[in-house]
Amino acid sequence: MASASIVRRLIAFLKKPDAAEGEDRAAVPQAGDAFEAQEAQQTWAGEPVTEATAPYAYSPPVPAPSSGGQSRIASYGSRLDALVMRAIQQFHAEHAYVIRHEDDGRMRYCTGRDMQGHYVPHTLVAADRRAVSLAVKSGESQLFVRTLDDNTPLSILCGPLWSDDEVIGVLYLNNPARSRLYRGVFDVFCDQAARMLVEGVA
């Protein structure tokens, strides 16, 4: 009964991208459903992606044939950005990105936001390549944690976006709060992002 209530709250939460902040946006505790971090030494690629080494091509808006020249991605993008912002708020992450996995194996950056709501351009994406690659190849959400030189913990949560039997992208959270990482909640965000990719991104 409690799990049905949680599902209803999550569905209502995701259907209202412009809803005001409130108690409904608090993390939903699910005992025994938290992520387990992997060892940093074995899984952390180390260096953030810089403007010179960004591995993700940018996908510009492509006009839809039946929309009178309007961009499908433009309307879709605002919905995706709203989802990205909700993920940042839910997990108290510093940044969040959606990256699409193309049929030829290339990764294409769709959008990203920081905790202030500012758009993160593809040239400044600080996504860990190994985390993205492992999430795509394994088809499972991955949590990576390491300690910086000043003993500050830094984490990454990267989840696959499934469509039918294919991973079509990832939802990537930079430095989410460990106390808020519940797999069931994150999977809902990944499912919603995957549906948006299927609906409108070229």
Side-chain angles (χ1 to χ4, degrees), residues 16-191:
K16 298 179 180 178
D18 301 321
E21 293 298 313
E23 292 182 358
D24 288 344
R25 293 210 169 185
V28 179
Q30 297 180 4
D33 195 25
F35 284 97
E36 292 183 10
Q38 300 195 31
E39 290 295 326
Q41 297 91 329
Q42 298 175 359
T43 59
W44 185 263
E47 296 299 324
V49 176
T50 65
E51 183 171 350
T53 61
Y56 307 114
Y58 173 65
S59 296
V62 178
S66 61
S67 63
Q70 284 188 327
S71 168
R72 289 169 60 187
I73 297 180
S75 61
Y76 153 90
S78 62
R79 292 172 54 212
L80 185 59
D81 285 334
L83 179 72
V84 167
M85 282 306 303
R86 290 198 304 274
I88 288 174
Q89 293 162 357
Q90 175 68 33
F91 298 103
H92 284 196
E94 293 178 359
H95 304 88
Y97 316 124
V98 174
I99 303 170
R100 185 180 180 109
H101 181 244
E102 301 288 356
D103 292 338
D104 60 6
R106 289 185 300 173
M107 304 300 292
R108 291 194 174 271
Y109 180 70
C110 295
T111 192
R113 295 279 168 168
D114 64 19
M115 58 177 27
Q116 287 78 36
H118 300 138
Y119 174 74
V120 180
H122 74 288
T123 53
L124 299 179
V125 173
D128 186 280
R129 304 182 199 192
R130 189 178 299 179
V132 173
S133 176
L134 187 57
V136 170
K137 290 179 181 178
S138 70
E140 297 181 356
S141 297
Q142 305 291 329
L143 175 64
F144 300 81
V145 178
R146 76 164 177 171
T147 302
L148 301 179
D149 293 337
D150 61 357
N151 291 324
T152 303
L154 183 65
S155 58
I156 284 175
L157 180 60
C158 188
L161 309 182
W162 283 94
S163 175
D164 297 326
D165 296 324
E166 179 184 7
V167 176
I168 60 172
V170 296
L171 175 60
Y172 184 106
L173 302 184
N174 188 40
N175 214 22
R178 292 288 302 279
S179 62
R180 288 181 165 245
L181 297 183
Y182 294 97
R183 188 175 298 274
V185 179
F186 186 61
D187 287 347
V188 171
F189 279 94
C190 290
D191 289 345

